Amino acid sequence: MKIIQVTDVHLGRRGEMRFGANLNERLDRCIDHINARHGDATLCVFTGDLTESGETESYADLKSALGRLSVPYRLLPGNHDRRVNLIAAFPENRTDGNGFVQSVFDTTEGRLVFLDSLAEGRVTGELCDNRLAWLDARLAEAAGKPVYLFLHHPPVELGLTILDPLGLEQPQRLLDVLARHGNVRYIFFGHVHRDIAGTVAGIPFSAQRGLHARFVLDLVGDEVVEQAPPAYSVVLIDGARVVIHSCDFLENWPLWSPATGQRVR
C-alpha cells in the first residue's frame, strides 16, 4: 500500500512570495508530481498548516488546486488553520461528530487514524478529552490490527530548542492512550519543517519538512529558515514493513547518470 504525506502547504494570498517562494505554485507542482508518479497511491494525507492564516480565500484556492489531484485525500488542520473555514470549504472532509476534523480510513494493511491537534489561537497543539476519547474508541475498534496515526503537531521533543515548546501540549496523555491499546505502529506529523525520524514510547515516528521553507538545524536556539527543495513523503506499507521516502519534486535541479557520469538534465 502506498500513502502520500504532504504537509505545511501554508497557502496565503495568490501570488504572494514568502521567503522567496510562491507557495501556490509549489502546491501546483507538487500535485503535478504526485499525479505523474504516484497515481496508484491509496490516499494522500495533508497533515496540517494547509493555509498561512486560515482565510476563506486560501481554502478556496486549496480546493481548486486539489480538484486536479488524481489521488483521494484527507485534510488535517494545523495551527495556521481555522477549523470552521476548513470545514466550510471541505464539507466532504470527515469530522468526528464533535466538530473536530478527525476520521479513520480502513485498508487491507490496517487502519489509518487522522487526529485534529489544532488549538485555536495557539501555536502549540492539543488533544482535549473529547478528541482522546474518540481516539480511544477508534483504537479499540481496531484491536488486533495495525494502526497508523497522522496529526500535525509532534507528540515528542525533538531536541530543537525553539520548536520543542511549540509541539503537542501534554503529549503523555496521547502516549498513554496508545500504550493502552498497543496497536499503533507508526506516527506521522509535520509542523517542524524538517525531516526527522525516531521513536517515542517504542513507536516509530517521522516528520516531513513539507512545502514551505525549512528550519535550519540548530540545537541551541537560533530560529532561521532556508529555502530547500520542497518535498512530500511516499509511505510504503506491506505487512510488517514500513518504508518512507522523502521525495523532492522541483525539477530544475541538475541530474547525472551514475553509469556515464554525464549530466542528463
Side-chain angles (χ1 to χ4, degrees), residues 121-171:
R122 303 202 300 277
V123 178
T124 53
E126 71 172 358
L127 292 172
C128 61
D129 290 344
N130 285 338
R131 281 175 274 188
L132 288 174
W134 177 89
L135 172 64
D136 192 45
R138 303 294 80 77
L139 294 180
E141 290 171 354
K145 299 177 182 178
V147 175
Y148 304 90
L149 194 64
F150 295 80
L151 72 165
H152 181 67
H153 292 84
V156 56
E157 291 189 351
L158 302 169
L160 302 173
T161 305
I162 293 294
L163 297 175
D164 279 346
L166 305 178
L168 184 70
E169 298 172 4
Q170 298 180 290

mmCIF file of all heavy atoms in Angstrom, residues 121-171:
data_model
loop_
_atom_site.group_PDB
_atom_site.id
_atom_site.type_symbol
_atom_site.label_atom_id
_atom_site.label_comp_id
_atom_site.label_asym_id
_atom_site.label_seq_id
_atom_site.Cartn_x
_atom_site.Cartn_y
_atom_site.Cartn_z
ATOM 1 N N GLY A 121 -5.986 29.646 18.116
ATOM 2 C CA GLY A 121 -5.336 30.812 18.695
ATOM 3 C C GLY A 121 -3.976 30.546 19.307
ATOM 4 O O GLY A 121 -3.343 31.461 19.832
ATOM 5 N N ARG A 122 -3.517 29.285 19.266
ATOM 6 C CA ARG A 122 -2.208 28.958 19.837
ATOM 7 C C ARG A 122 -1.352 28.251 18.791
ATOM 8 O O ARG A 122 -1.871 27.585 17.899
ATOM 9 C CB ARG A 122 -2.355 28.058 21.075
ATOM 10 C CG ARG A 122 -3.230 28.653 22.158
ATOM 11 C CD ARG A 122 -2.935 28.041 23.523
ATOM 12 N NE ARG A 122 -3.132 26.619 23.631
ATOM 13 C CZ ARG A 122 -4.318 26.033 23.857
ATOM 14 N NH1 ARG A 122 -5.409 26.769 23.946
ATOM 15 N NH2 ARG A 122 -4.400 24.716 23.986
ATOM 16 N N VAL A 123 -0.053 28.387 18.931
ATOM 17 C CA VAL A 123 0.868 27.678 18.041
ATOM 18 C C VAL A 123 0.998 26.223 18.474
ATOM 19 O O VAL A 123 1.135 25.318 17.645
ATOM 20 C CB VAL A 123 2.254 28.362 18.029
ATOM 21 C CG1 VAL A 123 3.236 27.593 17.151
ATOM 22 C CG2 VAL A 123 2.133 29.805 17.548
ATOM 23 N N THR A 124 0.966 25.984 19.758
ATOM 24 C CA THR A 124 1.028 24.613 20.269
ATOM 25 C C THR A 124 -0.231 23.843 19.878
ATOM 26 O O THR A 124 -1.256 24.415 19.513
ATOM 27 C CB THR A 124 1.162 24.624 21.792
ATOM 28 O OG1 THR A 124 0.114 25.433 22.346
ATOM 29 C CG2 THR A 124 2.507 25.182 22.217
ATOM 30 N N GLY A 125 -0.147 22.529 19.980
ATOM 31 C CA GLY A 125 -1.297 21.685 19.691
ATOM 32 C C GLY A 125 -1.894 21.111 20.955
ATOM 33 O O GLY A 125 -1.262 21.094 22.017
ATOM 34 N N GLU A 126 -3.123 20.623 20.831
ATOM 35 C CA GLU A 126 -3.768 19.981 21.973
ATOM 36 C C GLU A 126 -4.651 18.833 21.499
ATOM 37 O O GLU A 126 -5.136 18.826 20.359
ATOM 38 C CB GLU A 126 -4.625 20.979 22.767
ATOM 39 C CG GLU A 126 -5.885 21.415 22.055
ATOM 40 C CD GLU A 126 -6.813 22.245 22.941
ATOM 41 O OE1 GLU A 126 -6.477 22.438 24.121
ATOM 42 O OE2 GLU A 126 -7.857 22.686 22.438
ATOM 43 N N LEU A 127 -4.829 17.868 22.363
ATOM 44 C CA LEU A 127 -5.827 16.815 22.191
ATOM 45 C C LEU A 127 -6.659 16.804 23.467
ATOM 46 O O LEU A 127 -6.209 16.320 24.505
ATOM 47 C CB LEU A 127 -5.159 15.466 21.941
ATOM 48 C CG LEU A 127 -4.433 15.329 20.596
ATOM 49 C CD1 LEU A 127 -3.654 14.023 20.540
ATOM 50 C CD2 LEU A 127 -5.410 15.414 19.429
ATOM 51 N N CYS A 128 -7.841 17.387 23.384
ATOM 52 C CA CYS A 128 -8.708 17.530 24.557
ATOM 53 C C CYS A 128 -9.323 16.177 24.922
ATOM 54 O O CYS A 128 -9.125 15.169 24.232
ATOM 55 C CB CYS A 128 -9.804 18.550 24.270
ATOM 56 S SG CYS A 128 -10.873 18.086 22.880
ATOM 57 N N ASP A 129 -10.075 16.152 26.002
ATOM 58 C CA ASP A 129 -10.693 14.904 26.456
ATOM 59 C C ASP A 129 -11.567 14.282 25.374
ATOM 60 O O ASP A 129 -11.557 13.053 25.186
ATOM 61 C CB ASP A 129 -11.524 15.152 27.716
ATOM 62 C CG ASP A 129 -10.671 15.468 28.931
ATOM 63 O OD1 ASP A 129 -9.451 15.198 28.887
ATOM 64 O OD2 ASP A 129 -11.223 15.984 29.925
ATOM 65 N N ASN A 130 -12.349 15.104 24.669
ATOM 66 C CA ASN A 130 -13.236 14.574 23.626
ATOM 67 C C ASN A 130 -12.448 13.914 22.501
ATOM 68 O O ASN A 130 -12.819 12.845 22.002
ATOM 69 C CB ASN A 130 -14.126 15.681 23.059
ATOM 70 C CG ASN A 130 -15.252 16.065 23.992
ATOM 71 O OD1 ASN A 130 -15.642 15.285 24.865
ATOM 72 N ND2 ASN A 130 -15.791 17.255 23.819
ATOM 73 N N ARG A 131 -11.350 14.567 22.083
ATOM 74 C CA ARG A 131 -10.559 14.009 20.985
ATOM 75 C C ARG A 131 -9.858 12.728 21.416
ATOM 76 O O ARG A 131 -9.761 11.759 20.650
ATOM 77 C CB ARG A 131 -9.564 15.053 20.478
ATOM 78 C CG ARG A 131 -10.222 16.079 19.556
ATOM 79 C CD ARG A 131 -9.286 17.194 19.150
ATOM 80 N NE ARG A 131 -9.277 18.271 20.128
ATOM 81 C CZ ARG A 131 -8.663 19.441 19.936
ATOM 82 N NH1 ARG A 131 -7.995 19.663 18.816
ATOM 83 N NH2 ARG A 131 -8.714 20.381 20.871
ATOM 84 N N LEU A 132 -9.358 12.702 22.651
ATOM 85 C CA LEU A 132 -8.696 11.488 23.129
ATOM 86 C C LEU A 132 -9.689 10.343 23.335
ATOM 87 O O LEU A 132 -9.365 9.181 23.077
ATOM 88 C CB LEU A 132 -7.948 11.785 24.428
ATOM 89 C CG LEU A 132 -6.679 12.623 24.282
ATOM 90 C CD1 LEU A 132 -6.108 12.974 25.654
ATOM 91 C CD2 LEU A 132 -5.637 11.903 23.436
ATOM 92 N N ALA A 133 -10.896 10.667 23.786
ATOM 93 C CA ALA A 133 -11.916 9.625 23.947
ATOM 94 C C ALA A 133 -12.304 9.042 22.594
ATOM 95 O O ALA A 133 -12.511 7.817 22.463
ATOM 96 C CB ALA A 133 -13.150 10.201 24.651
ATOM 97 N N TRP A 134 -12.400 9.904 21.594
ATOM 98 C CA TRP A 134 -12.695 9.434 20.235
ATOM 99 C C TRP A 134 -11.582 8.496 19.764
ATOM 100 O O TRP A 134 -11.847 7.422 19.218
ATOM 101 C CB TRP A 134 -12.829 10.635 19.303
ATOM 102 C CG TRP A 134 -13.067 10.276 17.870
ATOM 103 C CD1 TRP A 134 -14.272 10.084 17.258
ATOM 104 C CD2 TRP A 134 -12.062 10.043 16.859
ATOM 105 N NE1 TRP A 134 -14.086 9.743 15.931
ATOM 106 C CE2 TRP A 134 -12.752 9.714 15.668
ATOM 107 C CE3 TRP A 134 -10.675 10.081 16.860
ATOM 108 C CZ2 TRP A 134 -12.075 9.424 14.476
ATOM 109 C CZ3 TRP A 134 -9.995 9.788 15.679
ATOM 110 C CH2 TRP A 134 -10.696 9.467 14.506
ATOM 111 N N LEU A 135 -10.310 8.903 19.974
ATOM 112 C CA LEU A 135 -9.191 8.063 19.580
ATOM 113 C C LEU A 135 -9.220 6.729 20.317
ATOM 114 O O LEU A 135 -9.003 5.665 19.707
ATOM 115 C CB LEU A 135 -7.873 8.790 19.866
ATOM 116 C CG LEU A 135 -6.605 7.968 19.684
ATOM 117 C CD1 LEU A 135 -6.435 7.538 18.235
ATOM 118 C CD2 LEU A 135 -5.382 8.749 20.168
ATOM 119 N N ASP A 136 -9.488 6.766 21.602
ATOM 120 C CA ASP A 136 -9.546 5.552 22.407
ATOM 121 C C ASP A 136 -10.537 4.561 21.812
ATOM 122 O O ASP A 136 -10.242 3.351 21.686
ATOM 123 C CB ASP A 136 -9.942 5.933 23.836
ATOM 124 C CG ASP A 136 -9.745 4.796 24.820
ATOM 125 O OD1 ASP A 136 -8.692 4.135 24.774
ATOM 126 O OD2 ASP A 136 -10.652 4.571 25.643
ATOM 127 N N ALA A 137 -11.701 5.078 21.408
ATOM 128 C CA ALA A 137 -12.727 4.202 20.829
ATOM 129 C C ALA A 137 -12.296 3.650 19.474
ATOM 130 O O ALA A 137 -12.545 2.485 19.153
ATOM 131 C CB ALA A 137 -14.043 4.974 20.699
ATOM 132 N N ARG A 138 -11.652 4.466 18.668
ATOM 133 C CA ARG A 138 -11.231 4.011 17.329
ATOM 134 C C ARG A 138 -10.123 2.963 17.425
ATOM 135 O O ARG A 138 -10.067 2.032 16.624
ATOM 136 C CB ARG A 138 -10.750 5.194 16.487
ATOM 137 C CG ARG A 138 -11.765 6.313 16.310
ATOM 138 C CD ARG A 138 -13.002 5.922 15.495
ATOM 139 N NE ARG A 138 -13.998 5.193 16.245
ATOM 140 C CZ ARG A 138 -14.850 5.753 17.126
ATOM 141 N NH1 ARG A 138 -14.785 7.043 17.405
ATOM 142 N NH2 ARG A 138 -15.764 5.016 17.728
ATOM 143 N N LEU A 139 -9.231 3.110 18.407
ATOM 144 C CA LEU A 139 -8.184 2.109 18.584
ATOM 145 C C LEU A 139 -8.771 0.802 19.107
ATOM 146 O O LEU A 139 -8.324 -0.289 18.714
ATOM 147 C CB LEU A 139 -7.117 2.625 19.548
ATOM 148 C CG LEU A 139 -6.287 3.823 19.071
ATOM 149 C CD1 LEU A 139 -5.262 4.221 20.127
ATOM 150 C CD2 LEU A 139 -5.610 3.544 17.741
ATOM 151 N N ALA A 140 -9.774 0.902 19.970
ATOM 152 C CA ALA A 140 -10.428 -0.307 20.483
ATOM 153 C C ALA A 140 -11.117 -1.058 19.351
ATOM 154 O O ALA A 140 -11.085 -2.297 19.307
ATOM 155 C CB ALA A 140 -11.428 0.060 21.574
ATOM 156 N N GLU A 141 -11.730 -0.332 18.441
ATOM 157 C CA GLU A 141 -12.384 -0.969 17.291
ATOM 158 C C GLU A 141 -11.385 -1.741 16.432
ATOM 159 O O GLU A 141 -11.740 -2.729 15.790
ATOM 160 C CB GLU A 141 -13.056 0.095 16.405
ATOM 161 C CG GLU A 141 -14.260 0.757 17.014
ATOM 162 C CD GLU A 141 -14.731 1.938 16.178
ATOM 163 O OE1 GLU A 141 -14.048 2.298 15.187
ATOM 164 O OE2 GLU A 141 -15.784 2.517 16.513
ATOM 165 N N ALA A 142 -10.149 -1.272 16.412
ATOM 166 C CA ALA A 142 -9.113 -1.876 15.566
ATOM 167 C C ALA A 142 -8.239 -2.847 16.334
ATOM 168 O O ALA A 142 -7.098 -3.115 15.928
ATOM 169 C CB ALA A 142 -8.260 -0.776 14.945
ATOM 170 N N ALA A 143 -8.727 -3.372 17.440
ATOM 171 C CA ALA A 143 -7.933 -4.301 18.251
ATOM 172 C C ALA A 143 -7.421 -5.456 17.394
ATOM 173 O O ALA A 143 -8.167 -6.055 16.614
ATOM 174 C CB ALA A 143 -8.779 -4.837 19.403
ATOM 175 N N GLY A 144 -6.128 -5.713 17.506
ATOM 176 C CA GLY A 144 -5.531 -6.796 16.743
ATOM 177 C C GLY A 144 -5.098 -6.402 15.349
ATOM 178 O O GLY A 144 -4.520 -7.230 14.629
ATOM 179 N N LYS A 145 -5.369 -5.156 14.943
ATOM 180 C CA LYS A 145 -4.976 -4.685 13.616
ATOM 181 C C LYS A 145 -3.951 -3.558 13.759
ATOM 182 O O LYS A 145 -4.000 -2.783 14.718
ATOM 183 C CB LYS A 145 -6.186 -4.141 12.848
ATOM 184 C CG LYS A 145 -7.285 -5.153 12.614
ATOM 185 C CD LYS A 145 -8.474 -4.497 11.913
ATOM 186 C CE LYS A 145 -9.607 -5.494 11.727
ATOM 187 N NZ LYS A 145 -10.793 -4.842 11.083
ATOM 188 N N PRO A 146 -3.021 -3.433 12.828
ATOM 189 C CA PRO A 146 -2.076 -2.312 12.886
ATOM 190 C C PRO A 146 -2.777 -0.989 12.595
ATOM 191 O O PRO A 146 -3.690 -0.918 11.760
ATOM 192 C CB PRO A 146 -1.053 -2.655 11.799
ATOM 193 C CG PRO A 146 -1.756 -3.592 10.884
ATOM 194 C CD PRO A 146 -2.750 -4.350 11.713
ATOM 195 N N VAL A 147 -2.344 0.054 13.308
ATOM 196 C CA VAL A 147 -2.897 1.391 13.153
ATOM 197 C C VAL A 147 -1.760 2.359 12.853
ATOM 198 O O VAL A 147 -0.678 2.274 13.461
ATOM 199 C CB VAL A 147 -3.658 1.839 14.430
ATOM 200 C CG1 VAL A 147 -4.125 3.290 14.307
ATOM 201 C CG2 VAL A 147 -4.844 0.920 14.695
ATOM 202 N N TYR A 148 -2.020 3.293 11.955
ATOM 203 C CA TYR A 148 -1.050 4.323 11.568
ATOM 204 C C TYR A 148 -1.688 5.676 11.855
ATOM 205 O O TYR A 148 -2.788 5.963 11.378
ATOM 206 C CB TYR A 148 -0.677 4.169 10.096
ATOM 207 C CG TYR A 148 -0.143 2.793 9.809
ATOM 208 C CD1 TYR A 148 -1.004 1.759 9.437
ATOM 209 C CD2 TYR A 148 1.206 2.504 9.969
ATOM 210 C CE1 TYR A 148 -0.528 0.469 9.218
ATOM 211 C CE2 TYR A 148 1.699 1.221 9.741
ATOM 212 C CZ TYR A 148 0.815 0.212 9.370
ATOM 213 O OH TYR A 148 1.290 -1.060 9.167
ATOM 214 N N LEU A 149 -0.995 6.497 12.638
ATOM 215 C CA LEU A 149 -1.561 7.722 13.193
ATOM 216 C C LEU A 149 -0.975 8.951 12.488
ATOM 217 O O LEU A 149 0.243 9.052 12.321
ATOM 218 C CB LEU A 149 -1.248 7.778 14.687
ATOM 219 C CG LEU A 149 -1.983 8.783 15.562
ATOM 220 C CD1 LEU A 149 -3.469 8.483 15.600
ATOM 221 C CD2 LEU A 149 -1.401 8.752 16.973
ATOM 222 N N PHE A 150 -1.854 9.885 12.099
ATOM 223 C CA PHE A 150 -1.446 11.120 11.442
ATOM 224 C C PHE A 150 -1.993 12.316 12.222
ATOM 225 O O PHE A 150 -3.168 12.330 12.595
ATOM 226 C CB PHE A 150 -2.002 11.184 10.012
ATOM 227 C CG PHE A 150 -1.466 10.130 9.081
ATOM 228 C CD1 PHE A 150 -1.975 8.838 9.106
ATOM 229 C CD2 PHE A 150 -0.459 10.433 8.177
ATOM 230 C CE1 PHE A 150 -1.481 7.855 8.248
ATOM 231 C CE2 PHE A 150 0.038 9.468 7.308
ATOM 232 C CZ PHE A 150 -0.474 8.178 7.352
ATOM 233 N N LEU A 151 -1.152 13.327 12.453
ATOM 234 C CA LEU A 151 -1.564 14.580 13.069
ATOM 235 C C LEU A 151 -0.551 15.650 12.689
ATOM 236 O O LEU A 151 0.471 15.349 12.052
ATOM 237 C CB LEU A 151 -1.701 14.457 14.584
ATOM 238 C CG LEU A 151 -0.433 14.328 15.442
ATOM 239 C CD1 LEU A 151 -0.806 14.598 16.916
ATOM 240 C CD2 LEU A 151 0.219 12.965 15.340
ATOM 241 N N HIS A 152 -0.821 16.900 13.074
ATOM 242 C CA HIS A 152 0.086 17.984 12.701
ATOM 243 C C HIS A 152 1.237 18.144 13.689
ATOM 244 O O HIS A 152 2.401 18.253 13.293
ATOM 245 C CB HIS A 152 -0.677 19.305 12.606
ATOM 246 C CG HIS A 152 0.202 20.460 12.207
ATOM 247 N ND1 HIS A 152 0.782 20.562 10.966
ATOM 248 C CD2 HIS A 152 0.627 21.558 12.902
ATOM 249 C CE1 HIS A 152 1.508 21.669 10.895
ATOM 250 N NE2 HIS A 152 1.441 22.285 12.058
ATOM 251 N N HIS A 153 0.929 18.188 14.972
ATOM 252 C CA HIS A 153 1.931 18.523 15.984
ATOM 253 C C HIS A 153 2.707 17.299 16.470
ATOM 254 O O HIS A 153 2.121 16.236 16.690
ATOM 255 C CB HIS A 153 1.259 19.193 17.192
ATOM 256 C CG HIS A 153 0.708 20.543 16.920
ATOM 257 N ND1 HIS A 153 -0.544 20.739 16.367
ATOM 258 C CD2 HIS A 153 1.243 21.774 17.120
ATOM 259 C CE1 HIS A 153 -0.767 22.040 16.247
ATOM 260 N NE2 HIS A 153 0.303 22.684 16.692
ATOM 261 N N PRO A 154 4.009 17.436 16.690
ATOM 262 C CA PRO A 154 4.783 16.315 17.210
ATOM 263 C C PRO A 154 4.438 16.018 18.667
ATOM 264 O O PRO A 154 4.428 16.929 19.501
ATOM 265 C CB PRO A 154 6.236 16.792 17.088
ATOM 266 C CG PRO A 154 6.167 18.278 16.998
ATOM 267 C CD PRO A 154 4.859 18.604 16.355
ATOM 268 N N PRO A 155 4.205 14.745 18.997
ATOM 269 C CA PRO A 155 3.944 14.365 20.385
ATOM 270 C C PRO A 155 5.218 13.952 21.107
ATOM 271 O O PRO A 155 5.179 13.115 22.017
ATOM 272 C CB PRO A 155 2.993 13.179 20.220
ATOM 273 C CG PRO A 155 3.456 12.526 18.966
ATOM 274 C CD PRO A 155 3.975 13.624 18.071
ATOM 275 N N VAL A 156 6.330 14.558 20.726
ATOM 276 C CA VAL A 156 7.627 14.181 21.292
ATOM 277 C C VAL A 156 8.578 15.358 21.129
ATOM 278 O O VAL A 156 8.498 16.100 20.145
ATOM 279 C CB VAL A 156 8.179 12.928 20.560
ATOM 280 C CG1 VAL A 156 8.265 13.153 19.056
ATOM 281 C CG2 VAL A 156 9.536 12.519 21.109
ATOM 282 N N GLU A 157 9.455 15.554 22.111
ATOM 283 C CA GLU A 157 10.507 16.556 21.953
ATOM 284 C C GLU A 157 11.555 16.036 20.973
ATOM 285 O O GLU A 157 11.936 14.867 21.010
ATOM 286 C CB GLU A 157 11.149 16.872 23.309
ATOM 287 C CG GLU A 157 10.213 17.619 24.242
ATOM 288 C CD GLU A 157 10.923 18.122 25.492
ATOM 289 O OE1 GLU A 157 12.101 17.746 25.709
ATOM 290 O OE2 GLU A 157 10.304 18.879 26.252
ATOM 291 N N LEU A 158 12.035 16.933 20.118
ATOM 292 C CA LEU A 158 12.913 16.552 19.017
ATOM 293 C C LEU A 158 14.327 17.083 19.174
ATOM 294 O O LEU A 158 15.144 16.953 18.263
ATOM 295 C CB LEU A 158 12.311 17.052 17.696
ATOM 296 C CG LEU A 158 10.900 16.527 17.399
ATOM 297 C CD1 LEU A 158 10.290 17.287 16.234
ATOM 298 C CD2 LEU A 158 10.928 15.030 17.116
ATOM 299 N N GLY A 159 14.611 17.712 20.307
ATOM 300 C CA GLY A 159 15.932 18.284 20.525
ATOM 301 C C GLY A 159 16.117 19.625 19.854
ATOM 302 O O GLY A 159 17.250 20.083 19.692
ATOM 303 N N LEU A 160 15.019 20.272 19.482
ATOM 304 C CA LEU A 160 15.052 21.575 18.820
ATOM 305 C C LEU A 160 14.601 22.640 19.816
ATOM 306 O O LEU A 160 13.420 22.714 20.167
ATOM 307 C CB LEU A 160 14.136 21.570 17.588
ATOM 308 C CG LEU A 160 14.470 20.494 16.543
ATOM 309 C CD1 LEU A 160 13.402 20.463 15.453
ATOM 310 C CD2 LEU A 160 15.850 20.730 15.942
ATOM 311 N N THR A 161 15.523 23.460 20.276
ATOM 312 C CA THR A 161 15.272 24.373 21.391
ATOM 313 C C THR A 161 14.111 25.316 21.118
ATOM 314 O O THR A 161 13.281 25.570 22.000
ATOM 315 C CB THR A 161 16.545 25.185 21.702
ATOM 316 O OG1 THR A 161 17.623 24.289 21.945
ATOM 317 C CG2 THR A 161 16.340 26.071 22.915
ATOM 318 N N ILE A 162 14.038 25.843 19.908
ATOM 319 C CA ILE A 162 12.978 26.794 19.568
ATOM 320 C C ILE A 162 11.642 26.094 19.362
ATOM 321 O O ILE A 162 10.593 26.583 19.790
ATOM 322 C CB ILE A 162 13.360 27.585 18.302
ATOM 323 C CG1 ILE A 162 14.563 28.492 18.576
ATOM 324 C CG2 ILE A 162 12.180 28.423 17.799
ATOM 325 C CD1 ILE A 162 14.298 29.600 19.564
ATOM 326 N N LEU A 163 11.650 24.935 18.710
ATOM 327 C CA LEU A 163 10.410 24.297 18.268
ATOM 328 C C LEU A 163 9.796 23.350 19.292
ATOM 329 O O LEU A 163 8.581 23.147 19.292
ATOM 330 C CB LEU A 163 10.661 23.551 16.959
ATOM 331 C CG LEU A 163 11.075 24.434 15.775
ATOM 332 C CD1 LEU A 163 11.414 23.581 14.563
ATOM 333 C CD2 LEU A 163 9.982 25.435 15.435
ATOM 334 N N ASP A 164 10.605 22.772 20.165
ATOM 335 C CA ASP A 164 10.045 21.796 21.106
ATOM 336 C C ASP A 164 8.934 22.372 21.988
ATOM 337 O O ASP A 164 7.936 21.678 22.245
ATOM 338 C CB ASP A 164 11.154 21.203 21.979
ATOM 339 C CG ASP A 164 11.913 20.079 21.270
ATOM 340 O OD1 ASP A 164 11.415 19.593 20.228
ATOM 341 O OD2 ASP A 164 12.998 19.701 21.752
ATOM 342 N N PRO A 165 9.025 23.621 22.458
ATOM 343 C CA PRO A 165 7.919 24.158 23.269
ATOM 344 C C PRO A 165 6.643 24.410 22.461
ATOM 345 O O PRO A 165 5.602 24.737 23.048
ATOM 346 C CB PRO A 165 8.492 25.492 23.796
ATOM 347 C CG PRO A 165 9.970 25.357 23.679
ATOM 348 C CD PRO A 165 10.196 24.526 22.466
ATOM 349 N N LEU A 166 6.703 24.260 21.140
ATOM 350 C CA LEU A 166 5.556 24.555 20.277
ATOM 351 C C LEU A 166 4.890 23.293 19.745
ATOM 352 O O LEU A 166 4.061 23.367 18.839
ATOM 353 C CB LEU A 166 6.017 25.428 19.096
ATOM 354 C CG LEU A 166 6.742 26.722 19.479
ATOM 355 C CD1 LEU A 166 7.178 27.467 18.229
ATOM 356 C CD2 LEU A 166 5.861 27.595 20.357
ATOM 357 N N GLY A 167 5.227 22.155 20.309
ATOM 358 C CA GLY A 167 4.640 20.898 19.875
ATOM 359 C C GLY A 167 3.302 20.626 20.547
ATOM 360 O O GLY A 167 2.587 21.535 20.979
ATOM 361 N N LEU A 168 2.952 19.363 20.651
ATOM 362 C CA LEU A 168 1.698 18.959 21.279
ATOM 363 C C LEU A 168 1.787 19.145 22.783
ATOM 364 O O LEU A 168 2.729 18.662 23.422
ATOM 365 C CB LEU A 168 1.400 17.496 20.949
ATOM 366 C CG LEU A 168 0.068 16.947 21.455
ATOM 367 C CD1 LEU A 168 -1.104 17.565 20.698
ATOM 368 C CD2 LEU A 168 0.036 15.419 21.331
ATOM 369 N N GLU A 169 0.796 19.844 23.362
ATOM 370 C CA GLU A 169 0.746 20.011 24.806
ATOM 371 C C GLU A 169 0.403 18.666 25.477
ATOM 372 O O GLU A 169 -0.386 17.895 24.951
ATOM 373 C CB GLU A 169 -0.318 21.048 25.181
ATOM 374 C CG GLU A 169 -0.044 22.434 24.625
ATOM 375 C CD GLU A 169 -1.217 23.379 24.852
ATOM 376 O OE1 GLU A 169 -2.199 22.960 25.502
ATOM 377 O OE2 GLU A 169 -1.164 24.516 24.359
ATOM 378 N N GLN A 170 1.008 18.417 26.617
ATOM 379 C CA GLN A 170 0.751 17.202 27.400
ATOM 380 C C GLN A 170 0.774 15.940 26.530
ATOM 381 O O GLN A 170 -0.197 15.166 26.494
ATOM 382 C CB GLN A 170 -0.592 17.324 28.127
ATOM 383 C CG GLN A 170 -0.638 18.465 29.130
ATOM 384 C CD GLN A 170 -1.982 18.550 29.833
ATOM 385 O OE1 GLN A 170 -2.997 18.919 29.233
ATOM 386 N NE2 GLN A 170 -1.989 18.182 31.098
ATOM 387 N N PRO A 171 1.861 15.713 25.826
ATOM 388 C CA PRO A 171 1.899 14.565 24.916
ATOM 389 C C PRO A 171 1.739 13.220 25.621
ATOM 390 O O PRO A 171 1.301 12.250 24.994
ATOM 391 C CB PRO A 171 3.275 14.688 24.261
ATOM 392 C CG PRO A 171 4.102 15.479 25.229
ATOM 393 C CD PRO A 171 3.139 16.451 25.848
#
